[in-house]
Amino acid sequence: MLRVTNVTKKFGELTAVNNLSFEVCQGQIFGIAGPNGAGKSTVYNLITGLYDFKGTISFKEQDISGLPSHRIARLGIARTFQIPQTFPSLTVTKSIEVGSYFGSLKGFDKDHVDQVLAFVNLAEKRDAPTGSLNLLHKKMLMIGAALATRPEILMLDEPMAGSNAKEIIQLMDLIRRINQDLGITIILIEHFMKVLTELTQTLLILETGTKICCGDPQKVTSDPRVIECYLGNCND
Ligand SMILES: Nc1ncnc2c1ncn2[C@@H]1O[C@H](COP(=O)(O)OP(=O)(O)O)[C@@H](O)[C@H]1O
Ligand SMILES: [Mg+2]
Protein backbone atom coordinates (compact mmCIF):
# COMPACT_ATOMS: atom_id res chain seq x y z
CA MET A 1 0.00 0.00 0.00
CA LEU A 2 2.79 2.40 0.98
CA ARG A 3 6.21 1.69 -0.45
CA VAL A 4 9.39 3.55 0.52
CA THR A 5 12.28 2.74 -1.84
CA ASN A 6 15.92 3.75 -1.38
CA VAL A 7 15.01 6.97 0.39
CA THR A 8 17.82 9.21 1.64
CA LYS A 9 17.42 12.56 3.39
CA LYS A 10 20.32 14.75 4.37
CA PHE A 11 20.20 17.91 6.48
CA GLY A 12 23.52 19.48 5.53
CA GLU A 13 26.21 17.00 6.60
CA LEU A 14 23.77 14.91 8.65
CA THR A 15 22.17 11.89 6.98
CA ALA A 16 18.83 11.65 8.82
CA VAL A 17 17.48 8.81 6.61
CA ASN A 18 19.95 6.54 4.86
CA ASN A 19 18.91 4.53 1.77
CA LEU A 20 15.78 3.28 3.52
CA SER A 21 13.32 0.84 1.97
CA PHE A 22 10.20 -0.74 3.50
CA GLU A 23 6.63 -1.57 2.58
CA VAL A 24 3.42 -1.22 4.58
CA CYS A 25 0.62 -3.57 3.54
CA GLN A 26 -3.05 -2.61 3.57
CA GLY A 27 -4.85 -3.34 6.84
CA GLN A 28 -1.79 -3.82 9.01
CA ILE A 29 -0.39 -1.98 11.99
CA PHE A 30 3.24 -1.33 11.08
CA GLY A 31 5.58 -0.29 13.89
CA ILE A 32 8.70 1.87 13.73
CA ALA A 33 11.12 2.03 16.65
CA GLY A 34 14.66 3.21 17.29
CA PRO A 35 16.65 5.52 19.57
CA ASN A 36 16.05 9.28 19.66
CA GLY A 37 17.40 10.90 16.52
CA ALA A 38 17.12 7.66 14.50
CA GLY A 39 15.11 9.45 11.79
CA LYS A 40 11.63 8.14 12.63
CA SER A 41 9.79 11.47 12.56
CA THR A 42 11.76 12.48 9.48
CA VAL A 43 10.35 9.41 7.68
CA TYR A 44 6.83 10.78 8.41
CA ASN A 45 7.88 14.23 7.23
CA LEU A 46 9.11 12.73 3.95
CA ILE A 47 5.97 10.62 3.42
CA THR A 48 3.77 13.68 4.03
CA GLY A 49 5.73 15.85 1.59
CA LEU A 50 7.41 18.32 3.97
CA TYR A 51 10.89 17.96 2.46
CA ASP A 52 12.44 16.86 -0.79
CA PHE A 53 14.58 13.70 -0.71
CA LYS A 54 16.34 11.12 -2.86
CA GLY A 55 14.46 7.93 -3.68
CA THR A 56 10.80 7.07 -4.21
CA ILE A 57 7.69 6.91 -2.06
CA SER A 58 4.54 5.44 -3.57
CA PHE A 59 1.03 5.08 -2.19
CA LYS A 60 -1.31 2.54 -3.80
CA GLU A 61 1.13 2.24 -6.72
CA GLN A 62 1.12 6.02 -7.31
CA ASP A 63 4.43 7.86 -6.98
CA ILE A 64 3.83 10.60 -4.41
CA SER A 65 7.47 11.77 -4.17
CA GLY A 66 7.57 15.55 -4.55
CA LEU A 67 3.81 16.10 -4.22
CA PRO A 68 2.76 18.97 -1.92
CA SER A 69 1.46 18.01 1.55
CA HIS A 70 -2.18 18.93 0.93
CA ARG A 71 -2.33 16.68 -2.13
CA ILE A 72 -0.80 13.79 -0.21
CA ALA A 73 -3.38 14.34 2.57
CA ARG A 74 -6.22 14.29 0.04
CA LEU A 75 -4.98 10.95 -1.31
CA GLY A 76 -5.74 9.48 2.12
CA ILE A 77 -2.62 9.81 4.25
CA ALA A 78 -3.06 11.43 7.68
CA ARG A 79 -0.64 11.88 10.56
CA THR A 80 -0.37 13.09 14.11
CA PHE A 81 2.59 14.88 15.69
CA GLN A 82 4.84 13.93 18.58
CA ILE A 83 3.68 16.99 20.53
CA PRO A 84 -0.12 17.39 20.28
CA GLN A 85 -0.95 20.22 17.91
CA THR A 86 -4.34 21.78 18.60
CA PHE A 87 -5.93 25.19 18.18
CA PRO A 88 -6.37 26.25 21.87
CA SER A 89 -9.30 28.62 21.33
CA LEU A 90 -11.34 26.29 19.10
CA THR A 91 -13.84 23.93 20.66
CA VAL A 92 -13.33 20.19 20.37
CA THR A 93 -16.14 19.95 17.80
CA LYS A 94 -14.72 22.78 15.67
CA SER A 95 -11.29 21.12 15.66
CA ILE A 96 -12.78 17.90 14.32
CA GLU A 97 -14.73 19.97 11.76
CA VAL A 98 -11.45 21.47 10.53
CA GLY A 99 -10.19 17.94 9.88
CA SER A 100 -13.43 16.99 8.16
CA TYR A 101 -13.27 20.13 6.04
CA PHE A 102 -9.64 19.47 5.13
CA GLY A 103 -10.38 15.92 4.05
CA SER A 104 -13.21 16.70 1.69
CA LEU A 105 -13.64 19.33 -0.99
CA LYS A 106 -17.38 19.43 -0.27
CA GLY A 107 -17.13 20.90 3.23
CA PHE A 108 -17.64 19.08 6.49
CA ASP A 109 -20.18 16.40 7.21
CA LYS A 110 -21.90 16.95 10.58
CA ASP A 111 -22.86 13.30 11.06
CA HIS A 112 -19.30 12.21 10.40
CA VAL A 113 -17.99 14.78 12.88
CA ASP A 114 -20.39 13.39 15.52
CA GLN A 115 -19.29 9.82 14.75
CA VAL A 116 -15.62 10.78 15.11
CA LEU A 117 -16.30 12.61 18.41
CA ALA A 118 -17.95 9.47 19.80
CA PHE A 119 -15.24 7.19 18.39
CA VAL A 120 -12.45 9.06 20.19
CA ASN A 121 -14.54 9.31 23.40
CA LEU A 122 -14.83 13.09 23.30
CA ALA A 123 -18.61 13.52 22.82
CA GLU A 124 -18.98 14.84 26.37
CA LYS A 125 -16.23 17.41 25.77
CA ARG A 126 -17.61 18.59 22.46
CA ASP A 127 -18.09 22.24 23.53
CA ALA A 128 -14.89 22.52 25.58
CA PRO A 129 -12.08 24.75 24.25
CA THR A 130 -9.21 22.48 23.24
CA GLY A 131 -6.84 24.50 25.45
CA SER A 132 -8.71 23.17 28.51
CA LEU A 133 -8.15 19.49 27.64
CA ASN A 134 -5.70 17.28 29.48
CA LEU A 135 -2.87 15.59 27.54
CA LEU A 136 -4.78 12.34 26.91
CA HIS A 137 -7.81 14.22 25.57
CA LYS A 138 -5.56 16.44 23.41
CA LYS A 139 -4.07 13.28 21.92
CA MET A 140 -7.51 11.80 21.33
CA LEU A 141 -8.54 15.06 19.66
CA MET A 142 -5.49 15.13 17.41
CA ILE A 143 -6.24 11.54 16.37
CA GLY A 144 -9.91 12.49 15.89
CA ALA A 145 -9.01 15.44 13.66
CA ALA A 146 -6.83 13.10 11.58
CA LEU A 147 -9.66 10.54 11.36
CA ALA A 148 -12.07 13.26 10.27
CA THR A 149 -10.06 13.61 7.05
CA ARG A 150 -11.19 10.01 6.24
CA PRO A 151 -7.67 8.62 5.79
CA GLU A 152 -6.80 5.21 4.42
CA ILE A 153 -3.55 5.27 6.32
CA LEU A 154 -2.92 6.95 9.67
CA MET A 155 0.61 7.64 10.90
CA LEU A 156 0.96 8.11 14.66
CA ASP A 157 4.16 9.64 16.09
CA GLU A 158 4.83 8.38 19.64
CA PRO A 159 1.21 8.59 20.77
CA MET A 160 2.00 7.04 24.18
CA ALA A 161 4.72 9.54 25.15
CA GLY A 162 4.06 11.11 28.55
CA SER A 163 1.10 8.80 29.28
CA ASN A 164 0.57 6.67 32.39
CA ALA A 165 -0.26 2.95 32.30
CA LYS A 166 -4.03 3.50 32.29
CA GLU A 167 -3.84 6.07 29.48
CA ILE A 168 -1.61 3.74 27.46
CA ILE A 169 -4.30 1.05 27.66
CA GLN A 170 -6.92 3.56 26.44
CA LEU A 171 -4.71 4.69 23.55
CA MET A 172 -3.92 1.09 22.59
CA ASP A 173 -7.64 0.32 22.56
CA LEU A 174 -8.29 3.34 20.33
CA ILE A 175 -5.50 2.35 17.91
CA ARG A 176 -6.87 -1.21 17.71
CA ARG A 177 -10.40 0.05 17.03
CA ILE A 178 -9.19 2.44 14.31
CA ASN A 179 -7.47 -0.48 12.62
CA GLN A 180 -10.12 -3.18 13.12
CA ASP A 181 -13.43 -1.29 13.15
CA LEU A 182 -12.58 1.44 10.63
CA GLY A 183 -10.23 -0.69 8.51
CA ILE A 184 -7.55 2.01 8.52
CA THR A 185 -3.92 0.98 7.97
CA ILE A 186 -1.68 2.34 10.73
CA ILE A 187 1.99 3.22 11.05
CA LEU A 188 3.00 3.57 14.67
CA ILE A 189 6.23 5.16 15.90
CA GLU A 190 6.60 4.06 19.50
CA HIS A 191 9.21 3.60 22.21
CA PHE A 192 7.31 1.11 24.35
CA MET A 193 8.28 -2.33 23.05
CA LYS A 194 5.33 -3.99 24.80
CA VAL A 195 2.94 -1.73 22.90
CA LEU A 196 4.68 -2.54 19.62
CA THR A 197 4.77 -6.30 20.13
CA GLU A 198 1.10 -6.33 21.17
CA LEU A 199 -0.23 -4.10 18.41
CA THR A 200 1.92 -4.47 15.31
CA GLN A 201 2.28 -7.17 12.68
CA THR A 202 5.55 -5.81 11.30
CA LEU A 203 8.24 -3.87 13.10
CA LEU A 204 10.99 -1.73 11.55
CA ILE A 205 14.00 -0.76 13.66
CA LEU A 206 15.99 2.31 12.66
CA GLU A 207 19.31 3.53 13.98
CA THR A 208 20.97 6.73 12.72
CA GLY A 209 18.70 6.71 9.68
CA THR A 210 19.52 3.13 8.71
CA LYS A 211 17.30 0.05 8.78
CA ILE A 212 18.63 -2.43 11.36
CA CYS A 213 15.93 -4.99 10.67
CA CYS A 214 12.28 -5.31 9.72
CA GLY A 215 9.79 -8.14 10.17
CA ASP A 216 7.84 -10.12 12.75
CA PRO A 217 7.92 -8.08 16.00
CA GLN A 218 8.79 -11.10 18.20
CA LYS A 219 11.74 -12.01 15.97
CA VAL A 220 12.87 -8.41 15.57
CA THR A 221 12.92 -7.73 19.30
CA SER A 222 15.01 -10.85 19.95
CA ASP A 223 17.54 -9.97 17.21
CA PRO A 224 20.92 -9.36 18.91
CA ARG A 225 21.59 -6.29 16.73
CA VAL A 226 18.34 -4.73 17.96
CA ILE A 227 19.01 -5.62 21.59
CA GLU A 228 22.42 -4.01 21.30
CA CYS A 229 21.39 -0.81 19.54
CA TYR A 230 18.06 -0.21 21.18
CA LEU A 231 16.65 -2.47 23.84
CA GLY A 232 19.86 -2.50 25.85
CA ASN A 233 19.62 1.18 26.69
CA CYS A 234 16.02 2.14 26.02
CA ASN A 235 13.75 -0.57 27.35
CA ASP A 236 14.37 -0.05 31.04
N1 LIG B 1 14.46 20.02 9.88
C1 LIG B 1 15.61 19.51 10.30
N2 LIG B 1 16.78 20.19 10.12
C2 LIG B 1 17.95 19.68 10.53
N3 LIG B 1 18.09 18.49 11.15
C3 LIG B 1 16.98 17.79 11.37
C4 LIG B 1 15.68 18.25 10.97
N4 LIG B 1 14.75 17.32 11.32
C5 LIG B 1 15.44 16.33 11.92
N5 LIG B 1 16.76 16.60 11.96
C6 LIG B 1 17.80 15.73 12.50
O1 LIG B 1 17.64 14.46 11.89
C7 LIG B 1 17.88 13.42 12.83
C8 LIG B 1 16.65 12.55 12.93
O2 LIG B 1 15.63 13.29 13.58
P1 LIG B 1 14.19 12.70 13.84
O3 LIG B 1 13.64 12.17 12.57
O4 LIG B 1 13.40 13.76 14.52
O5 LIG B 1 14.50 11.50 14.84
P2 LIG B 1 13.52 10.60 15.72
O6 LIG B 1 12.12 10.99 15.39
O7 LIG B 1 13.86 9.19 15.39
O8 LIG B 1 13.88 10.91 17.16
C9 LIG B 1 18.25 14.08 14.14
O9 LIG B 1 19.66 14.13 14.24
C10 LIG B 1 17.68 15.48 13.99
O10 LIG B 1 18.39 16.41 14.75
MG1 LIG C 1 10.60 11.71 16.57
Side-chain angles (χ1 to χ4, degrees):
M1 185 183 208
L2 183 84
R3 191 177 294 130
V4 170
T5 311
N6 301 125
V7 165
T8 295
K9 175 64 191 173
K10 293 187 177 176
F11 294 109
E13 294 290 290
L14 176 93
T15 304
V17 177
N18 186 10
N19 196 27
L20 179 66
S21 300
F22 65 89
E23 185 175 354
V24 179
C25 299
Q26 183 157 15
Q28 75 172 162
I29 303 182
F30 183 99
I32 304 180
N36 281 331
K40 305 179 298 295
S41 297
T42 301
V43 169
Y44 279 11
N45 291 337
L46 300 181
I47 293 169
T48 53
L50 294 190
Y51 308 120
D52 60 356
F53 56 90
K54 273 207 291 193
T56 310
I57 299 177
S58 64
F59 177 59
K60 296 197 295 184
E61 307 300 329
Q62 179 187 347
D63 187 355
I64 60 168
S65 324
L67 288 185
S69 294
H70 67 275
R71 290 212 27 218
I72 293 172
R74 286 251 158 83
L75 289 173
I77 299 179
R79 73 171 297 176
T80 63
F81 291 87
Q82 221 167 326
I83 298 164
Q85 312 273 322
T86 59
F87 304 102
S89 62
L90 285 190
T91 63
V92 166
T93 305
K94 286 275 174 226
S95 307
I96 304 280
E97 284 173 6
V98 170
S100 182
Y101 205 82
F102 191 67
S104 147
L105 292 169
K106 298 192 291 285
F108 72 86
D109 168 348
K110 191 181 168 307
D111 289 343
H112 188 235
V113 169
D114 287 342
Q115 283 162 18
V116 169
L117 278 168
F119 196 86
V120 298
N121 300 325
L122 286 176
E124 279 173 23
K125 302 260 176 209
R126 55 181 307 137
D127 298 321
T130 69
S132 72
L133 299 179
N134 66 25
L135 180 65
L136 178 69
H137 288 148
K138 278 196 178 119
K139 288 178 176 188
M140 299 280 196
L141 176 64
M142 183 169 58
I143 293 171
L147 289 177
T149 69
R150 300 178 187 273
E152 289 183 51
I153 188 160
L154 175 64
M155 308 198 299
L156 301 167
D157 196 349
E158 296 195 31
M160 314 290 168
S163 303
N164 64 35
K166 200 172 148 216
E167 292 165 343
I168 287 175
I169 289 169
Q170 286 177 270
L171 286 163
M172 283 176 72
D173 173 66
L174 178 61
I175 292 168
R176 254 194 215 107
R177 289 190 294 118
I178 293 168
N179 180 245
Q180 289 173 7
D181 300 353
L182 304 180
I184 295 173
T185 305
I186 291 177
I187 310 181
L188 175 63
I189 295 176
E190 195 43 69
H191 271 299
F192 293 106
M193 275 299 159
K194 276 206 188 85
V195 170
L196 288 167
T197 49
E198 275 193 37
L199 284 182
T200 69
Q201 288 89 51
T202 309
L203 180 56
L204 166 69
I205 307 286
L206 289 181
E207 191 194 21
T208 55
T210 304
K211 173 157 82 176
I212 299 292
C213 60
C214 184
D216 177 79
Q218 299 294 345
K219 283 198 194 120
V220 164
T221 49
S222 54
D223 186 313
R225 290 168 303 168
V226 175
I227 293 168
E228 188 186 338
C229 94
Y230 182 67
L231 298 178
N233 48 32
C234 293
N235 201 27
D236 46 17

